[in-house]
């Protein structure tokens, strides 16, 4: 996922933190039960996932702090939520006739791929061989595409909190996902990349607001000042009348332990659907809530009529778990993000939840996770949105780490981590990442700026069972 300007974000956070209690600015529209079952989608595209990224990535919060020092000059500096043990959801995307696997990200907006011949850099901005960027292909050959047209006078420039950064030119291309072909889609054509690839993905496709796009006026990324917002892929699809409803919908399956352990792709990890709901079984628990907008000047969440939408933020009233009587009030600044692996919740919730594992999960700040033996009993976590409670399967809160403790017990991580205090000097943005999204179908209406969340029927896949079983020893991925 991506955040907009870290400075503005800090401003947003300090506003929250200045108050003794949590302040919630809730969009005025009331939550409601979806009037009828959401229509089936016009296009449903299967998702595959790669293995976790091989290199350790820093925790979100660390990333956020680092982003404060990020590139000056642009008012829109972005960061990627890179947690350890990243699992990326990928789908096949065509630029013209050329096919790439791209990361599906509801927390950012640009669609990009590296251009053939791109220069690869390490995070210290030193040139290195292309293999170090570890893209899944040699890149996009613009010359070979009859439908590509460059956009002179602009550049694409995005930066990630763990230090990853990409820049390049901009063009228009026919972008096809599943059978849905969007003509003249604006894309980033990356010729300078510092990217921690996985050998499968060749970039990313973003589904968030036009306000989070990172194309700038002029051709020199060092001079970027004026952002030129444009319609991301799904916004273009709606504008071009390709779908019968202005929704896209995401159903992410929990991955199998075997797939996490191997270097192969897992071909069965859910769907992204256009024009309706993703084709998985859901229960009656569903709610439609407004996306929380921000005051564009102060970057604070607010309920005014002239709000700006950046992320898929929703208002969460309550988080709880089995055996817990406490009501944890939360914030409207919580983001639904397919690009983030874990859930990042307020410290009081995270600590109490970890303590309720049997045996308790222990916080490891260096690793950015709570660790626990994989044989632990995990409470069921519940998130209440718009008066409806959504449960998180305990399987999603037991994440094999592939390491063992001193007694030889396999160690797992909780799928829920500390996103920082909900009050206090630092304030924080919270995230419902893949841990939560494995349990719901999230349907995003870009015209009404509403999200419908539907609880999925429990699914007992082989992967689910595999994850409940204590894993055999696996290799250590993070040193
Ligand atoms: C909008 O937010 C203000 C605080 O800024 C609050 O007083 C008001 O009740 C909110 N209105 C609605 C409809 O939620
Ligand atoms: C694309 O065409 C340009 C201009 O003819 C050329 O400079 C460039 O090397 C070509 N790129 C590839 C990948 O063939
Ligand atoms: C933000 O995006 C919305 C569409 O979601 C658009 O109406 C609005 O003008 C944009 N605001 C800015 C500041 O770009
Ligand atoms: C982009 O830059 C050019 C050249 O400096 C300038 O003429 C033009 O007005 C700029 N466009 C925008 C939207 O700022
Ligand atoms: C960036 O910020 C500066 C200073 O606050 C402002 O003058 C400029 O208009 C902003 N540019 C954009 C693209 O918002
Ligand atoms: C995980 O990989 C290790 C070797 O790296 C292998 O011994 C083990 O059986 C694998 N486990 C699963 C569940 O695939």
């Amino acid at each position: 996922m991506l955040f907009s300007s870290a400075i503005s974000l800090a401003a947003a956070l300090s506003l929250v933190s200045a108050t003794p209690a949590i302040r919630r600015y809730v969009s005025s529209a009331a939550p409601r039960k979806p009037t009828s079952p959401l229509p089936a989608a016009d296009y449903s595209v299967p998702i595959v996932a790669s293995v976790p990224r091989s290199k350790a990535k820093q925790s979100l919060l660390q990333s956020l702090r680092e982003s404060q020092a990020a590139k000056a000059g642009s008012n829109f500096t972005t960061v990627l939520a890179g947690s350890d043990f990243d699992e990326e959801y990928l789908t096949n995307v065509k630029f013209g006739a050329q096919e790439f696997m791209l990361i599906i990200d509801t927390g950012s907006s640009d669609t990009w791929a590296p251009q053939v011949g791109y220069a690869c850099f390490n995070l210290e901005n030193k040139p290195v061989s292309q293999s170090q960027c570890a893209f899944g292909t040699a890149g996009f050959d613009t010359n070979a595409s009859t439908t590509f047209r460059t956009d002179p006078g602009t550049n694409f420039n995005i930066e990630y909190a763990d230090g990853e950064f990409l820049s390049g030119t901009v063009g228009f291309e026919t972008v096809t996902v599943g059978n849905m072909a969007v003509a003249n889609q604006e894309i980033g054509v990356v010729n300078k990349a510092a990217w921690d690839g996985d050998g499968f993905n060749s970039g990313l496709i973003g589904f968030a607001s036009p306000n989070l796009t990172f194309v700038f006026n002029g051709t020199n990324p060092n001079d970027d000042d004026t952002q030129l917002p444009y319609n991301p892929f799904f916004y273009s699809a709606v504008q071009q009348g390709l779908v019968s409803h202005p929704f896209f919908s995401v159903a992410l399956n929990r991955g199998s332990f075997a797939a996490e352990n191997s270097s192969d792709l897992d071909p069965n990890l859910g769907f992204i659907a256009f024009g309706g709901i993703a084709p998985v079984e859901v229960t009656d628990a569903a709610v439609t809530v407004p996306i929380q907008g921000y005051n564009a000047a102060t970057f604070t969440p607010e309920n005014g009529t002239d709000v700006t939408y950046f992320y898929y933020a929703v208002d969460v009233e309550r988080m709880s778990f089995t055996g817990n009587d406490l009501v944890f009030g939360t914030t409207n600044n919580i983001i639904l993000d397919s690009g983030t692996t874990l859930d990042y919740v307020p410290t009081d919730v995270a600590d109490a939840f970890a303590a309720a594992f049997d045996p308790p999960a222990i916080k490891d700040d260096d690793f950015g996770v709570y660790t626990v033996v994989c044989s632990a009993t995990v409470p069921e976590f519940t998130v209440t949105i718009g008066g409806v409670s959504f449960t998180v399967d305990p399987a999603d809160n037991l994440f094999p780490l592939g390491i063992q403790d001193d007694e030889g017990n396999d160690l797992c991580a909780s799928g829920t981590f500390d996103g920082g205090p909900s009050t206090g000097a630092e304030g924080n943005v919270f995230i419902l990442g893949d841990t939560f999204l494995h349990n719901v179908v999230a349907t995003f209406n870009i015209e009404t700026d509403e999200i419908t969340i539907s609880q999925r029927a429990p699914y007992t896949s082989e992967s689910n069972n595999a994850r409940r079983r204590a894993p055999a020893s696996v290799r250590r991925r993070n040193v």
Side-chain angles (χ1 to χ4, degrees):
M1 64 149 285
L2 297 159
F3 281 109
S4 183
S5 163
I7 294 155
S8 305
L9 196 59
L13 301 177
S14 59
L15 178 127
V16 173
S17 62
T19 60
I22 301 163
R23 267 159 77 176
R24 293 162 66 214
Y25 298 90
V26 182
S27 288
S28 43
R32 60 176 199 279
K33 193 93 182 139
T35 42
S36 54
L38 290 173
D42 303 317
Y43 302 89
S44 289
V45 186
I47 292 172
V48 296
S50 78
V51 293
R53 290 187 166 203
S54 54
K55 278 195 248 164
K57 304 199 74 187
Q58 289 141 344
S59 75
L60 172 69
L61 289 178
Q62 203 174 338
S63 299
L64 276 174
R65 288 191 195 103
E66 285 171 3
S67 72
Q68 313 272 350
K71 182 169 74 69
S74 158
N75 294 14
F76 289 88
T77 300
T78 59
V79 302
L80 177 73
S83 59
D84 290 359
F85 323 110
D86 240 354
E87 197 177 72
E88 291 153 346
Y89 285 88
L90 308 178
T91 198
N92 293 324
V93 176
K94 279 199 283 194
F95 286 5
Q98 299 170 48
E99 194 150 14
F100 306 100
M101 272 192 198
L102 302 186
I103 296 171
I104 292 168
D105 191 7
T106 62
S108 73
S109 302
D110 297 290
T111 295
W112 60 266
Q115 183 173 27
V116 168
Y118 67 90
C120 179
F121 289 76
N122 66 18
L123 302 186
E124 288 74 48
N125 205 13
K126 301 252 159 51
V128 293
S129 72
Q130 281 191 347
S131 64
Q132 292 202 33
C133 280
F135 286 113
T137 64
F140 178 41
D141 183 351
T142 54
N143 293 355
S145 176
T146 54
T147 42
F148 179 80
R149 152 173 83 80
T150 196
D151 182 23
T154 61
N155 73 94
F156 172 61
N157 187 8
I158 201 161
E159 181 160 346
Y160 299 84
D162 58 359
E164 289 176 311
F165 56 87
L166 304 120
S167 63
T169 59
V170 177
F172 300 93
E173 177 58 289
T174 302
V175 174
T176 308
V177 184
N179 294 318
M180 188 170 84
V182 171
N184 298 311
Q185 176 57 44
E186 193 161 338
I187 58 171
V189 180
V190 166
N191 48 44
K192 178 174 180 181
W195 184 246
D196 183 15
D198 56 14
F200 292 101
N201 82 69
S202 291
L204 182 148
I205 180 166
F207 289 91
S209 166
N211 301 320
L212 271 183
T213 57
F214 291 90
V215 166
F216 294 86
N217 198 21
T219 54
N220 185 351
N222 296 322
D223 296 338
D224 281 344
D225 185 34
T226 306
Q227 190 206 10
L228 303 173
Y230 66 92
N231 274 339
F233 172 77
F234 187 68
Y235 282 74
S236 300
V238 171
Q239 194 181 48
Q240 292 174 22
L242 301 179
V243 285
S244 29
H245 303 277
F247 323 145
F248 71 93
S249 181
V250 176
L252 304 181
N253 293 351
R254 69 183 63 91
S256 71
F257 178 63
E260 287 175 4
N261 190 25
S262 79
S263 59
D264 295 322
L265 287 173
D266 186 338
N268 178 28
L269 279 183
F271 297 93
I272 183 159
F274 305 118
I277 190 165
V280 298
E281 209 184 322
V282 293
T283 71
D284 287 342
V287 72
T288 298
V289 290
I291 296 169
Q292 299 290 309
Y294 293 76
N295 176 318
T298 62
F299 214 74
T300 50
E302 72 164 35
N303 61 4
T305 48
D306 56 350
V307 293
T308 302
Y309 297 102
F310 293 103
Y311 308 105
Y312 292 115
V314 295
D315 181 53
V316 169
E317 291 138 39
R318 180 190 157 106
M319 296 184 180
S320 194
F321 45 85
T322 327
N324 172 62
D325 297 334
L326 300 173
V327 173
F328 293 107
T330 59
T331 170
N332 62 350
N333 208 0
I334 191 159
I335 293 162
L336 293 175
D337 184 9
S338 67
T340 295
T341 304
L342 305 181
D343 289 346
Y344 291 83
V345 303
T347 304
D348 56 349
V349 186
D351 284 347
F353 180 58
F357 281 52
D358 183 17
I362 308 298
K363 190 176 199 175
D364 183 333
D365 269 317
D366 293 338
F367 231 22
V369 293
Y370 293 87
T371 57
V372 67
V373 290
C374 295
S375 55
T377 304
V378 182
E380 186 175 76
F381 194 78
T382 302
V383 180
T384 305
I385 299 170
V388 178
S389 291
F390 299 95
T391 55
V392 174
D393 191 312
D396 291 308
N397 271 308
L398 214 45
F399 205 96
L401 290 178
I403 54 174
Q404 296 174 326
D405 67 12
D406 294 342
E407 281 94 56
N409 301 306
D410 291 305
L411 280 179
C412 277
S414 168
T416 303
F417 193 61
D418 178 5
S422 52
T423 60
E426 278 191 75
N428 282 296
V429 168
F430 304 104
I431 298 168
L432 292 174
D434 298 340
T435 298
F436 178 76
L437 291 172
H438 290 157
N439 298 277
V440 300
V441 181
T443 305
F444 303 85
N445 187 320
I446 66 160
E447 252 172 39
T448 61
D449 287 312
E450 291 177 315
I451 299 176
T452 299
I453 301 169
S454 311
Q455 177 91 46
R456 285 181 69 168
Y459 51 100
T460 47
S461 59
E462 205 177 87
S463 54
N464 194 358
N465 294 332
R467 188 169 271 189
R468 285 171 189 281
R469 246 180 267 129
S473 71
V474 293
R475 67 203 148 90
R476 178 190 276 268
R477 297 196 191 90
N478 300 277
V479 281

